[in-house]
Amino acid sequence: MDDILIRGGSVIDGTGTPAVVADVAITGDCITAIGPALDRAAHRVVDARGQVVTPGLIDIHTHSDFTLPVNTRAESKIRQGVTTEVVGNCGFSSAPALPGTAAMLAEYLSASAPWLTFRDTTFAEYLDTFPATSVNVIPQVGHNTLRLMAVGMEARAATPQELAAMVAMLTEALDAGALGMSSGLFTAPGIHADEAEVHALARVLKQHGARYSTHVRDEGNHVFEAVREAIRVARATGVHVQIAHLKLSGMDNWGGARRLLDEIAAARREGLPVDCDQYPYDTGTNPLRNLLPPWVQQGGIGAMLERLGDPSVRQRIREDLARDGLNNFGRIASWDAVRVALSARQPELAGRTLADVARERRRDPLDQVCDCIVADGGHTRILITSMAEEDVRTITGTPWVLVGSDGNSLAVHGVTGQGKPHPRFYGTFARTLGRSVREQQLLTLEQAVHKMTGGSAKAIGLQDRGWLRVGLRADVAVFDPDTVADLATYEQPHQYATGVSTVIVNGTVVVDGGDHTGALPGRVLRRQDMH
């Protein structure tokens, strides 16, 4: 007798092929049978008539390592059908932390993980003590973290000894089971790494059969060259490259999505192992300090805060921004495009634009930006509307571009339910299935599911889940294609998606009738065990 039998749903298996009406049988943590009207008994029968049955969705680009330790139920993701999250992205990871460096790492990551307690740890110790969660977790080690440990926040090339230290830490993480290394070359300290440093670390990844994901060096005025730099990593080392949250940020760059996609497609036709992902929103999020010129952060947070108190420094920033636009995000019309998402010491600012705050306080907008950073100790997090909707749609509608939320697993209650975070944390996958497929018809349902399941599994080398196939792990989502939708907005982001009725992780029901069961069957999926 099977444990679970899902009856009569339209099965979309993750390969991109058309849906077929079939039953899916599960015993233990594996799929044991798929077929029409299976003559089998089960302890639990899920009536999926009128609904779609898919593999559990894979969020290929997340930062949930910053929230899962305090929100193990992963509610904002699991309620969309997400069963696996790839963490440690954009060069940021909570490990390793060499002896005596935990406080430095905590300060560095405070705008993203203000609620976490950091400790000195190897990557292996970090994975061994990661808590049980509702979703599977695939870890990466961050290049920014490695460089912080070896070089600090200094604006210079790494010495041979420092590079060797990064290689040693990277090797330890890979041996412990990291999928690979991520980079965030748009901000310090990663921005100070030259291509030779990245290639040296990428060669270590290739030797271990690991992967490289990158928040490219610039997503604004130099996005084409930044994407070419990422492609050069694949060409020079043979390592698989995942270009994160593909976008063209800044008004000067709007309308270039098709040309950018064509360059990546050409690399793929050349046989280079390159993939990319995207979230379907025209707004990004980042620590506010990362919008300023990179030199502002030289020497670390303390040095930055002291620097920002100098009027002459603020004038230099003002001139740099007028000439070059915002770091990574390019030129925006005004600070009305930037709103506060999370402010630890000024929570009343959450949801307000910095231009609005400046007007209320009768401050110059750039002075108000600097005031906010200083008041929050560098920890203010913001939302920035910097993309063209047409570019977003063009990228979303490309079948080979995968789906990644670039977001954390949150909950409407508890410590992660504060502030006004990006609605993509609650809605990326439901928005794709509802708005992009059903309303805008940018993709077929089968194409969208493939982008979120089998396509992502192939990109990260995951072989035992990502498709509905006998013998694979039983990660399954059941949803109504006519009602699945995101509800989270910029004004009210803490709202769960609707339309997903059942979610199964490793053969255990986590979402039942749309409600969380409290189950925590997720596993840390180490690279060596992803087969």
Side-chain angles (χ1 to χ4, degrees), residues 390-410:
E390 188 56 38
D391 284 336
V392 174
R393 291 191 186 195
T394 298
I395 298 171
T396 299
T398 302
W400 50 266
V401 176
L402 308 172
V403 181
S405 71
D406 193 21
N408 306 342
S409 279
L410 305 183

Side-chain angles (χ1 to χ4, degrees), residues 5-6 15 133 228 275 298 350 380 389 401 433 450 506 522:
L5 185 60
I6 304 172
T15 64
T133 67
R228 290 169 193 148
D275 280 289
Q298 186 173 345
T380 315
E389 177 63 23
V401 176
L433 294 169
H450 172 69
N506 294 311

Side-chain angles (χ1 to χ4, degrees), residues 430-493:
R431 185 180 182 87
T432 302
L433 294 169
R435 186 170 184 256
S436 303
V437 173
R438 187 176 62 242
E439 298 174 13
Q440 298 176 337
Q441 299 183 343
L442 300 177
L443 299 157
T444 66
L445 185 55
E446 289 85 353
Q447 287 174 324
V449 169
H450 172 69
K451 284 158 64 89
M452 303 171 175
T453 59
S456 291
K458 181 180 179 182
I460 58 178
L462 185 60
Q463 297 181 21
D464 65 348
R465 60 194 82 217
W467 300 270
L468 291 182
R469 190 178 298 156
V470 172
L472 298 192
R473 302 296 180 188
D475 291 351
V476 183
V478 182
F479 62 87
D480 185 338
D482 296 326
T483 63
V484 63
D486 62 309
L487 300 182
T489 65
Y490 296 105
E491 294 74 23
Q492 298 294 332

